[in-house]
Amino acid sequence: MSLVLDPAAQDLLFREARTANTFTDEPVTDEQVQAIYDLVKFGPTAFNQSPLRITLVRSEEARERLVQHMAEGNQAKTRTAPLVAILSADNEFHEEIPALLPHFPQAKDMFFSERPVREQSALLNAALQAAYFIVGVRAAGLAAGPMTGLDFAGLQKEFLDADHTPLMVVNIGKPGEDAWFPRSPRLSLDEVITTV
C-alpha cells in the first residue's frame, strides 16, 4: 500500500531531509517562522497541551551568549546559521488548559496540580512538538540542525527561567556547502516492530 502523501513531499520531509551542518547566509524571515508555526501547532499532544516554547536567537549579542554554551563541535555552525531556535518545555503549561481544552477545563487541576507530574508531561509533549517543528522547518524548504550537545544548565540560566526546561537548540536555514554528513543507517521494520 502506498502512502497518500506525494513522493516528492515524502522526500522533502523524510527521505532526503538531513541534519544540516552548514548554511547559506540567506535569512530566515519572520513570515517563514509564522508559516512553520501555523502548520505545526496542529500536531497532537495529550490534553491538547502546548508546552513547547521557542526562543529565536537573532541578535549577534544573543548569538554569542548562546555559542558559549554549545559543545565545541556545535559552536561554528550555531554561530553561522541564519536563525537559531532554543526549544524548551514550559512547566506551567497547565495554566493554558482551560483555553485549549474548553470542553474539559477541570483537567488543569485534576491532572496537573503537582509540579513533578507537570514536568514529566511538559517534557514528553514539548518533545513531540519539537519533532513537529523540525518537520515543519523541512516543509518550509529549509534545513534544520537539531542539537543537544550543549550545557543545559548554562543555557537555562542564560536564556530561560526555572519554569522552562531546555530541550535542544535548532539551527535553521538553507543548507550550505558540504552541509551533510554521510547518511547513517536506520533500523529495519523487523528490528523495531513487535506484533502481539
Side-chain angles (χ1 to χ4, degrees), residues 179-196:
W180 321 119
F181 293 145
R183 170 76 78 188
S184 295
R186 299 297 194 268
L187 296 176
S188 70
L189 180 138
D190 291 342
E191 295 172 292
V192 173
I193 293 182
T194 301
T195 301
V196 292

Side-chain angles (χ1 to χ4, degrees), residues 121-180:
S121 189
L123 191 61
L124 172 62
N125 288 281
L128 274 174
Q129 290 185 291
Y132 303 144
F133 179 77
I134 292 166
V135 173
V137 168
R138 293 171 172 181
L142 301 169
M147 299 170 295
T148 56
L150 56 104
D151 171 11
F152 282 93
L155 179 76
Q156 182 175 27
K157 185 176 180 184
E158 189 80 39
F159 290 96
L160 306 171
D161 59 33
D163 287 332
H164 293 80
T165 303
L167 301 173
M168 67 186 70
V169 169
V170 183
N171 294 329
I172 303 167
K174 292 281 186 182
E177 209 172 304
D178 299 319
W180 321 119

Side-chain angles (χ1 to χ4, degrees), residues 8-65:
Q10 295 172 37
D11 289 343
L12 178 71
L13 299 178
F14 293 101
R15 284 192 290 264
E16 298 299 323
R18 308 283 288 282
T19 295
N21 295 290
T22 67
F23 298 90
T24 69
D25 58 3
E26 183 179 330
V28 177
T29 67
D30 289 337
E31 291 78 16
Q32 287 172 301
V33 173
Q34 181 74 56
I36 291 165
Y37 183 73
D38 285 344
L39 175 66
V40 304
K41 69 183 179 183
F42 294 109
T45 58
F47 293 98
N48 201 36
Q49 61 187 269
S50 294
L52 181 69
R53 297 295 176 266
I54 303 167
T55 303
L56 298 179
V57 181
R58 288 205 181 270
S59 74
E60 289 306 314
E61 177 270 335
R63 180 78 59 108
E64 282 308 310
R65 286 172 33 223

Side-chain angles (χ1 to χ4, degrees), residues 50-90:
S50 294
L52 181 69
R53 297 295 176 266
I54 303 167
T55 303
L56 298 179
V57 181
R58 288 205 181 270
S59 74
E60 289 306 314
E61 177 270 335
R63 180 78 59 108
E64 282 308 310
R65 286 172 33 223
L66 173 60
V67 166
Q68 301 311 309
H69 298 289
M70 302 305 295
E72 186 176 340
N74 292 332
Q75 289 182 355
K77 51 191 166 186
T78 301
R79 187 176 279 119
T80 59
L83 180 62
V84 182
I86 300 168
L87 304 189
S88 62
D90 182 356

Side-chain angles (χ1 to χ4, degrees), residues 91 93 111-123:
N91 295 306
F93 70 88
F111 296 108
F112 301 111
S113 62
E114 296 180 18
R115 175 72 180 230
V117 173
R118 286 199 309 274
E119 288 178 350
Q120 183 178 13
S121 189
L123 191 61

